[in-house]
Amino acid sequence: MAALQMNAASLSSAPRALQAKDASSKPASSQSTPSISWRSFSSGAAGNPALLARLSRSGAHATSAWQRASQKPATWSPVRCNATTTEAASETFTYQAEVNRLMDLIVHSLYSHREVFLRELVSNASDALDKLRFLSVTDPSLMEANSELAIRIKADPATGTITITDSGIGMTKEELMDSLGTIAQSGTAKFVKALKEKQEKEGEVDSNLIGQFGVGFYSAFLVADRVTVRTKSPKSDKQWVWEAEADQSTYTIREETDADAQLTRGTSIQLHLKDDQKAEYSDPTRLASLVKNYSQFIGFPIYMWQEQTRSKEEEYEEAAKEEGGEPVKKTRTVEEKYFEWVLENDTKPIWVRAPKEVADGEYNEFFKNTFKEFLDPLAHAHFSTEGEIEFKSLLYVPGMAPFDANDMFSGKTRNIRLYVKRVFISDQFDGELLPRYMAFIKGVVDSNDLPLNVSREILQESRIVRIMRKRLVRKAFDMLDDIAARKDADGNPSDDYKTFWQSFGRNVKLGCIEDAGNHKRLAPLLRFFSSKSEDDLISLEDYTARMKDGQKEIYYIAADTVRSAKSAPFLEKLNQKGLEVLFLVEPIDEVAVTTLQSYKDVKFVDISKEDLDLGDEGDAASKREQEKEYEGVCDWMKGVLGDKVAKVQVSQRIASSPCVLVAGKFGWSANMERIMKAQTMGDPQQAEFMRGRRILEINADHPIIKDLKVQSSVAPDSPKARQLVDLLYETAHIASGFPPENPAEFGSRVYEMMALAIPQADSASPAATSSSSTSAPVQPEVVEASEVRTEGDVWK
């Protein structure tokens, strides 16, 4: 506490001093009573009646203080008063929980789907059976009352109840209070702890217990408003009944008095369904589907009480046809309905067996039954991983693509089924186990080490999950490599990979875009058409194996069809030189290849972009001479076209076309520009920026270009010559794959050029026609482009 300083010359400070003392001297466990010097205090109180009145009400201690103060002189020097504190002693308290609120959170906030209640209760029953099986190894008498280890589920639509009975270990009264009377108390967790201690002493112990958190039982209140538990332990002669309601914070335990409800051993849980849940969950067919989905591979048989139909013969009497006759006895076949216990989990988890013990037919049958497929898979991978993480997995490559192709790229397909100790957890993942481009892979993953949330519905991100994902991806690539390497009886590539590529080729290309770390495994799987293989797909390995000597790059062109790519003017020189060009005809192809960048250190090059090098080093001198010769016409054409092109230059990639329009090195190609313009949510500003520069390349050996070269020096301002340049540009614009900028303007120029080619009306008169028909045919005169005639020159 801060020191209090009083001055006898300022008596008004005394009340504040007293207030400070009062505040510091309030009872508190964390402070001691402060000590104040009465010398300075009395100097302020001596001449202050209000202060004296307060002191008189304070008791004898205050009165004596006033007496001492009144006997002192009126003037005193200021003296500092110090108050001290001591450190408080800490106290320990226990968290308090409002049971109603806690139960409400468990029931309504922990689980996403009501149907998981059956998974949780069946898992608890499986744990009880597993405990009994383990304990009976050392104490066989536990199995004397009932040798069966099974789970039975019975739904009664009439009463709106579900009864789940197991012949497991059961519970005594104390265990019942400890397990069900204490929220989040897991009997399985205690048992697992005891097993671990036993394992440390005696070695490996085989157990397949599921429960972890001690809250799965309370999922029953998702669908039930009252739960009754009957349990009989072989350790006790009595059977106990535990009962609780959903909206109550109390439960009851009583001894079983109903002789008809007696159990030989185990536990029976009866759910009294809520009114709004009776229609769905009292239906045996609905419960059977849930068992098959969540508990299909539980290690103990699960029986459902279901209605069955069978045919039987019965006798009946047919009336006599004649009066007085006797009725005729006949038999007929009728359908009889009856109830019996039906085994629901008859499919065995083949992934827990050794791969060498499972035949291919079993793998195919499991695939069809589990994933509702009708074609055999193209490949499968059955493996187990041990060490840092332990899990078993069985992966498949389907024989065909799904009918809805969008399911392959959503990343949220339900193709990977996750199990923990053979109990189904979820099949809804967003790239946690496999990347989006591998969403077509189907299979199961079973692990005991997965980090799940309490509801066992959400796979938490952790290092274990990342390791598992990495190994699953590696096995998936091994399957694809195996399909690609298959050969038929003649040693030719099998049709299996062709089937795979038709169904899932785009997924591989998507992987090139999204998974840079696996480019080396993705690139060999790619397949394309090419200028030397227009009908059959080839791999990048095939392309590099037949590259020309001195070829340092992989050439490609992107178009909408193979026919368009084949007729593109960019291929003219490459075809002459025998260079192979890949045809990228799907929208995703160009993005995949540009992301890939290279294959085995050989770079990909787009032949429709600038700076194309065909490796003609020997013709470098002649190229420079030709470029210098046509420098004037290039500058003149650039002046006519203005900002439409970045520059005009002599081309080294065309042979028969007069000109071609080339995209900039870092901009969109004509194919990509077409694709991006078709996007519904495309950004016009980005499209304008990415369009980049365009270069008009001319063919110096073409007659039209030679004529333009002459005209650029003779009549550079000729309107018809400038019009021809514009027409050449727009024609090259379309031939190079770019959409026309102004179709109407382009059409009008074509019409004008057509009008120039049509003979005039007077030259086409009947007289001229008749006279020309009788005369001898005139041989056309061939005029070289350099021989310019001034008479009748079309440019003037």
Side-chain angles (χ1 to χ4, degrees):
M1 177 180 172
L4 302 176
Q5 182 174 352
M6 302 180 184
N7 195 312
S10 177
L11 296 179
S12 61
S13 63
R16 289 193 300 270
L18 183 59
Q19 292 172 5
K21 179 182 183 300
D22 291 341
S24 64
S25 61
K26 290 181 181 180
S29 60
S30 61
Q31 290 183 337
S32 61
T33 304
S35 59
I36 304 177
S37 173
W38 282 101
R39 177 184 177 187
S40 60
F41 177 78
S42 61
S43 65
N48 193 331
L51 180 60
L52 294 178
R54 292 186 62 186
L55 288 174
S56 64
R57 293 192 297 269
S58 302
H61 178 73
T63 303
S64 62
W66 156 243
Q67 291 173 352
R68 288 194 302 269
S70 61
Q71 296 172 1
K72 298 295 180 181
T75 57
W76 299 93
S77 59
V79 178
R80 185 176 300 277
C81 173
N82 296 324
T84 61
T85 61
T86 60
E87 185 177 355
S90 62
E91 296 183 51
T92 303
F93 297 92
T94 303
Y95 284 109
Q96 301 299 317
E98 186 178 348
V99 178
N100 285 342
R101 180 59 178 159
L102 182 59
M103 287 293 294
D104 182 73
L105 288 173
I106 291 175
V107 173
H108 298 103
S109 302
L110 194 59
Y111 298 96
S112 302
H113 306 287
R114 293 180 183 273
E115 62 186 31
V116 299
F117 81 92
L118 191 61
R119 179 195 70 184
E120 297 297 317
L121 296 180
V122 170
S123 298
N124 288 346
S126 175
D127 281 352
L129 293 167
D130 214 11
K131 292 177 189 177
L132 176 65
R133 182 172 59 181
F134 175 78
L135 295 175
S136 65
V137 174
T138 56
D139 188 1
S141 63
L142 297 176
M143 299 287 291
E144 292 178 355
N146 184 4
S147 60
E148 182 189 43
L149 296 178
I151 302 170
R152 298 181 183 272
I153 304 173
K154 183 177 181 180
D156 189 348
T159 59
T161 60
I162 302 173
T163 304
I164 304 171
T165 305
D166 67 76
S167 55
I169 191 63
M171 290 176 282
T172 63
K173 180 180 179 180
E174 291 74 17
E175 291 171 339
L176 196 61
M177 295 174 61
D178 189 41
S179 298
L180 302 188
T182 306
I183 297 175
Q185 176 70 42
S186 174
T188 299
K190 289 184 176 181
F191 191 74
V192 169
K193 182 178 180 181
L195 285 181
K196 289 182 178 179
E197 294 176 355
K198 184 178 179 67
Q199 180 178 348
E200 292 175 358
K201 295 179 181 180
E202 303 180 9
E204 187 68 25
V205 176
D206 183 18
S207 176
N208 192 32
L209 298 172
I210 301 167
Q212 301 179 58
F213 304 106
V215 296
F217 168 78
Y218 304 101
S219 65
F221 291 106
L222 289 168
V223 297
D225 52 17
R226 183 161 59 94
V227 177
T228 302
V229 180
R230 291 178 169 84
T231 183
K232 173 70 168 61
S233 172
K235 303 176 185 177
S236 174
D237 296 333
K238 297 180 180 180
Q239 178 171 310
W240 300 96
V241 180
W242 181 97
E243 193 168 41
E245 296 185 5
D247 56 350
Q248 299 294 325
S249 59
T250 60
Y251 61 91
T252 61
I253 296 180
R254 56 182 171 83
E255 185 179 345
E256 181 65 79
T257 57
D258 187 356
D260 296 334
Q262 288 290 336
L263 303 172
T264 56
R265 184 194 62 242
T267 302
S268 175
I269 303 176
Q270 187 176 44
L271 309 183
H272 302 267
L273 298 175
K274 300 176 182 178
D275 292 337
D276 59 343
Q277 304 298 324
K278 288 181 179 179
E280 180 178 3
Y281 294 111
S282 64
D283 181 11
T285 305
R286 171 64 170 152
L287 294 182
S289 67
L290 293 180
V291 169
K292 287 186 177 296
N293 185 45
Y294 288 104
S295 306
Q296 175 76 10
F297 304 109
I298 286 288
F300 300 96
I302 303 175
Y303 295 96
M304 284 283 303
W305 185 251
Q306 293 202 48
E307 184 182 56
Q308 302 292 310
T309 303
R310 61 189 172 193
S311 300
K312 74 172 186 176
E313 300 290 333
E314 70 172 11
E315 292 185 354
Y316 72 98
E317 293 183 352
E318 185 177 299
K321 297 181 179 179
E322 300 178 357
E323 287 189 28
E326 295 184 359
V328 180
K329 291 185 177 180
K330 292 186 176 182
T331 60
R332 60 185 176 186
T333 303
V334 295
E335 298 292 331
E336 180 186 25
K337 294 184 178 180
Y338 67 100
F339 284 87
E340 69 174 357
W341 293 107
V342 179
L343 180 65
E344 296 296 340
N345 59 335
D346 51 352
T347 303
K348 301 303 179 183
I350 64 174
W351 67 82
V352 300
R353 297 159 56 185
K356 62 182 179 181
E357 299 176 358
V358 185
D360 289 341
E362 293 181 86
Y363 284 122
N364 297 342
E365 193 66 24
F366 179 84
F367 171 73
K368 293 177 182 178
N369 292 337
T370 305
F371 299 101
K372 305 300 184 289
E373 294 279 348
F374 56 89
L375 292 180
D376 289 341
L378 291 174
H380 69 266
H382 183 190
F383 61 96
S384 61
T385 302
E386 298 179 354
E388 187 175 4
I389 177 177
E390 295 184 4
F391 70 92
K392 301 178 184 294
S393 182
L394 178 56
L395 302 180
Y396 291 95
V397 177
M400 62 175 294
F403 294 107
D404 187 359
N406 293 327
D407 290 346
M408 294 192 299
F409 304 102
S410 66
K412 295 184 179 181
T413 58
R414 312 183 82 169
N415 291 339
I416 297 295
R417 297 175 61 85
L418 175 64
Y419 293 83
V420 172
K421 299 178 182 178
R422 293 185 289 182
V423 176
F424 175 71
I425 299 301
S426 178
D427 58 2
Q428 300 181 30
F429 302 105
D430 191 8
E432 290 93 344
L433 294 180
L434 284 175
R436 184 165 69 117
Y437 66 91
M438 284 188 174
F440 63 91
I441 298 290
K442 297 187 177 184
V444 296
V445 177
D446 191 352
S447 174
N448 300 343
D449 301 327
L450 288 180
L452 302 172
N453 69 337
V454 179
S455 65
R456 298 197 293 169
E457 294 174 342
I458 303 173
L459 184 61
Q460 299 174 348
E461 176 64 22
S462 72
R463 183 169 173 268
I464 293 178
V465 177
R466 291 192 294 271
I467 295 174
M468 179 178 291
R469 172 190 167 107
K470 184 177 180 180
R471 295 182 181 176
L472 290 174
V473 170
R474 185 188 307 164
K475 288 296 181 179
F477 275 123
D478 290 343
M479 284 193 295
L480 301 184
D481 291 340
D482 174 69
I483 299 173
R486 292 176 187 172
K487 303 290 184 180
D488 58 17
D490 299 329
N492 299 319
S494 172
D495 291 337
D496 289 346
Y497 195 77
K498 183 177 180 181
T499 302
F500 165 79
W501 187 257
Q502 290 175 348
S503 300
F504 309 112
R506 285 176 293 174
N507 292 75
V508 178
K509 297 170 186 177
L510 180 64
C512 295
I513 300 172
E514 296 185 343
D515 192 356
N518 283 308
H519 275 180
K520 289 185 178 180
R521 302 210 65 173
L522 286 163
L525 300 174
L526 293 173
R527 298 293 186 271
F528 300 104
F529 295 105
S530 75
S531 58
K532 293 184 178 181
S533 181
E534 300 175 11
D535 299 324
D536 297 324
L537 294 164
I538 65 168
S539 66
L540 296 178
E541 185 65 27
D542 296 334
Y543 182 97
T544 54
R546 56 195 188 204
M547 287 173 58
K548 294 286 185 180
D549 294 337
Q551 183 179 346
K552 301 178 181 178
E553 297 165 331
I554 299 175
Y555 301 112
Y556 72 88
I557 183 172
D560 54 348
T561 62
V562 173
R563 183 178 179 181
S564 299
K566 179 183 177 181
S567 59
F570 304 102
L571 273 73
E572 293 172 357
K573 272 288 178 68
L574 285 90
N575 287 337
Q576 287 184 355
K577 294 177 177 291
L579 298 175
E580 189 172 11
V581 180
L582 297 177
F583 294 161
L584 313 186
V585 295
E586 288 191 350
I588 196 174
D589 288 357
E590 187 174 0
V591 183
V593 168
T594 53
T595 306
L596 202 59
Q597 294 184 351
S598 64
Y599 174 72
K600 292 186 176 180
D601 297 328
V602 183
K603 291 185 177 181
F604 292 97
V605 173
D606 187 350
I607 64 172
S608 67
K609 292 188 176 182
E610 63 176 324
D611 296 338
L612 176 64
D613 183 12
L614 300 181
D616 298 332
E617 299 179 357
D619 299 335
S622 60
K623 289 179 183 178
R624 287 194 296 270
E625 292 180 2
Q626 192 177 58
E627 290 173 358
K628 186 175 181 180
E629 179 184 357
Y630 280 82
E631 183 178 359
V633 68
C634 291
D635 294 341
W636 173 70
M637 293 179 68
K638 173 63 174 74
V640 174
L641 296 175
D643 295 335
K644 293 180 181 179
V645 295
K647 63 178 179 179
V648 180
Q649 64 184 22
V650 177
S651 178
Q652 305 299 327
R653 73 185 83 202
I654 52 179
S656 58
S657 300
C659 58
V660 69
L661 193 63
V662 178
K665 188 174 183 179
F666 301 103
W668 284 339
S669 66
N671 182 68
M672 184 57 62
E673 184 175 332
R674 174 183 58 83
I675 294 172
M676 297 307 296
K677 280 187 176 181
Q679 300 298 314
T680 303
M681 305 302 291
D683 186 358
Q685 294 181 352
Q686 182 190 21
E688 186 64 26
F689 173 77
M690 291 301 297
R691 195 183 78 159
R693 46 186 266 158
R694 293 175 181 172
I695 301 170
L696 182 66
E697 294 188 355
I698 59 175
N699 181 4
D701 298 327
H702 199 278
I704 294 179
I705 302 302
K706 289 183 177 181
D707 285 346
L708 286 177
K709 176 178 176 296
V710 174
Q711 196 62 32
S712 65
S713 59
V714 176
D717 297 329
S718 171
K720 292 184 180 180
R722 302 174 72 89
Q723 184 180 6
L724 182 59
V725 171
D726 288 332
L727 185 61
L728 277 174
Y729 166 77
E730 292 178 356
T731 305
H733 197 275
I734 297 175
S736 302
F738 295 98
E741 296 178 349
N742 192 333
E745 185 177 349
F746 172 71
S748 64
R749 287 201 180 95
V750 173
Y751 298 149
E752 290 178 7
M753 298 302 296
M754 291 174 63
L756 292 176
I758 295 176
Q760 299 296 326
D762 54 354
S763 62
S765 59
T769 304
S770 59
S771 61
S772 61
S773 61
T774 57
S775 60
V778 180
Q779 296 296 330
E781 181 182 1
V782 179
V783 180
E784 295 294 334
S786 57
E787 301 176 9
V788 179
R789 296 177 297 177
T790 58
E791 298 179 0
D793 192 351
V794 296
W795 303 105
K796 294 184 179 180

